[in-house]
Amino acid sequence: MVQNESSLRIAIQKGGRLSEKSQTLLENIGLEFDSYKNRILTPCRNYDVELLLIRDDDIPEYVRDGICELGIVGHNVTAESGVQVERLRGLGFGRCRVSVAVPKNSGFDSVDKLDRCRIATSYPALTRKFFQEKGLEVAIIEISGAVEIAPTLNVADAIVDVVSTGGTLKTNGLTELEIILESEAEIIQTRRPVPDHKQELIDKFMMRIGARQQAERSRYIMMNAPSDAVETICGIIPALKSPTVLPLAENEMVAIHSVIPTMHFWEVMEDLKSAGASGIVILPIENMIV
Ligand code: ATP
Ligand code: ZN
């Protein structure tokens, strides 16, 4: 596809925790790119879009300024930047939280106890806002990496940092006290005016993302059952509102096909078997347009 001034531009993280999943998401909605390696701007072969690969911290500003119309970035980064952009959709990956953590056995059993303490963080804006809203005065020590070591070095009494499993905190003898912000990767859009043809590209792009997310939350289920068990089976899976029921060559048996929420399946599998279902097959769905 010929790239020109009017291609839609999407910023994603160049190298880091969100890079691979952002690229996979774009590939899963049918976008084909040449190599991402060593390129800042990567054109797409089959959609009028180009990718800008940059540090995640720069993404909110690039989107705010309209250098890119869209960006894929952690909500923690957007929130910390404080920039005004439109959040279009959470993406369900890169989940983490920004939390206050303190050394174990420090005696800090609530954030109120941190009044007049020193807090090390790479999230000064979120930290300031959090403590101000609680009416607590703290000294913020801004550190760009390895924040978790600050209490051991006696640089700070507590930290505010990104936590996912809590493993890093544990290794450093820290314990999580309070969550400031829940985060996942999100798609943001510039609030600058976007020409109609680009807005159309954005709408189509978001429709594809929606279809992919819906598909990921759903499974195609097939099973065989005695025909007189259909009603019971539909009662077990409320989502099976109007399943496809096909007669089988075997007497009084039918095949039941439907789409159900993934989680539902594991909850009801035993009940389906008790109701007489057999040969239960569950398949992933690639895309789903509802
Ligand atoms: P960059 O070089 O682009 O500035 P970075 O070092 O700031 O990268 P990464 O560590 O790659 O950032 O994390 C990117 C994003 O992944 C975070 O902003 C956050 O949204 C998300 N994330 C998920 N789990 C974690 C985690 N355990 N620690 C840090 N970030 C996490
Ligand atoms: Zn970063």
Side-chain angles (χ1 to χ4, degrees):
M1 188 155 289
V2 179
Q3 303 296 311
N4 54 48
E5 267 293 286
S6 62
S7 285
L8 182 66
R9 205 173 268 174
I10 307 175
I12 67 169
Q13 192 187 20
K14 183 171 172 54
R17 284 188 163 89
L18 301 184
S19 308
E20 209 178 306
K21 288 199 167 136
S22 303
Q23 289 168 18
T24 305
L25 172 74
L26 300 175
E27 282 157 17
N28 283 342
I29 61 164
L31 307 194
E32 291 171 10
F33 297 93
D34 290 324
S35 171
Y36 298 95
K37 293 227 159 52
N38 306 320
R39 294 189 73 151
I40 294 176
L41 216 47
T42 302
C44 176
R45 274 193 242 123
N46 57 352
Y47 202 82
D48 192 11
V49 63
E50 51 190 3
L51 285 189
L52 186 69
L53 290 110
I54 50 178
R55 283 199 60 195
D56 66 347
D57 312 65
D58 296 332
I59 294 176
E61 281 83 1
Y62 271 60
V63 171
R64 176 197 58 198
D65 297 343
I67 296 164
C68 301
E69 288 79 19
L70 298 181
I72 297 179
V73 65
H75 180 60
N76 54 320
V77 175
T78 313
E80 173 64 21
S81 75
V83 305
Q84 298 295 310
V85 287
E86 225 43 67
R87 174 188 156 93
L88 296 187
R89 196 183 272 272
L91 294 172
F93 62 85
R95 284 190 193 282
C96 58
R97 50 201 188 272
V98 178
S99 290
V100 182
V102 293
K104 257 184 222 148
N105 315 320
S106 61
F108 296 125
D109 54 3
S110 83
V111 287
D112 296 334
K113 299 245 171 82
L114 290 171
D115 199 21
R116 302 190 179 275
C117 285
R118 299 162 303 162
I119 317 287
T121 187
S122 326
Y123 294 85
L126 289 174
T127 303
R128 192 166 300 115
K129 182 162 171 275
F130 174 79
F131 284 101
Q132 251 169 18
E133 280 171 2
K134 297 213 172 262
L136 302 170
E137 219 175 279
V138 295
I140 294 172
I141 293 140
E142 197 174 336
I143 299 180
S144 58
V147 170
E148 62 281 354
I149 197 77
T152 308
L153 300 177
N154 196 22
V155 174
D157 305 296
I159 66 164
V160 167
D161 204 7
V162 170
V163 183
S164 54
T165 59
T168 309
L169 291 185
K170 212 168 166 191
T171 313
N172 288 281
L174 300 169
T175 175
E176 200 172 347
L177 208 53
E178 197 165 319
I179 297 172
I180 292 188
L181 183 86
E182 298 273 4
S183 180
E184 63 178 331
E186 62 187 9
I187 300 190
I188 51 172
Q189 179 176 347
T190 189
R191 286 195 176 166
R192 293 248 179 135
V194 171
D196 287 351
H197 79 279
K198 282 197 187 182
Q199 190 55 52
E200 271 170 36
L201 288 169
I202 293 174
D203 294 345
K204 268 208 288 191
F205 175 83
M206 291 309 295
M207 201 272 289
R208 290 192 191 186
I209 300 250
R212 178 71 199 176
Q213 286 187 323
Q214 182 72 30
E216 276 167 2
R217 284 194 294 267
S218 309
R219 290 292 180 273
Y220 193 85
I221 187 170
M222 302 190 284
M223 69 195 100
N224 295 341
S227 43
D228 58 7
V230 171
E231 208 172 316
T232 318
I233 286 172
C234 290
I236 295 168
I237 310 180
L240 273 179
K241 270 183 221 108
S242 50
T244 307
V245 180
L246 307 160
L248 290 179
E250 201 181 327
N251 255 354
E252 307 300 323
M253 288 292 284
V254 291
I256 303 173
H257 290 200
S258 192
V259 171
I260 59 165
T262 310
M263 289 317 292
H264 233 110
F265 173 72
W266 299 109
E267 287 160 13
V268 298
M269 187 166 50
E270 289 308 318
D271 291 346
L272 288 177
K273 285 210 275 190
S274 314
S278 60
I280 304 171
V281 173
I282 186 139
L283 300 170
I285 300 171
E286 200 162 293
N287 271 300
M288 198 169 140
I289 292 117
V290 287

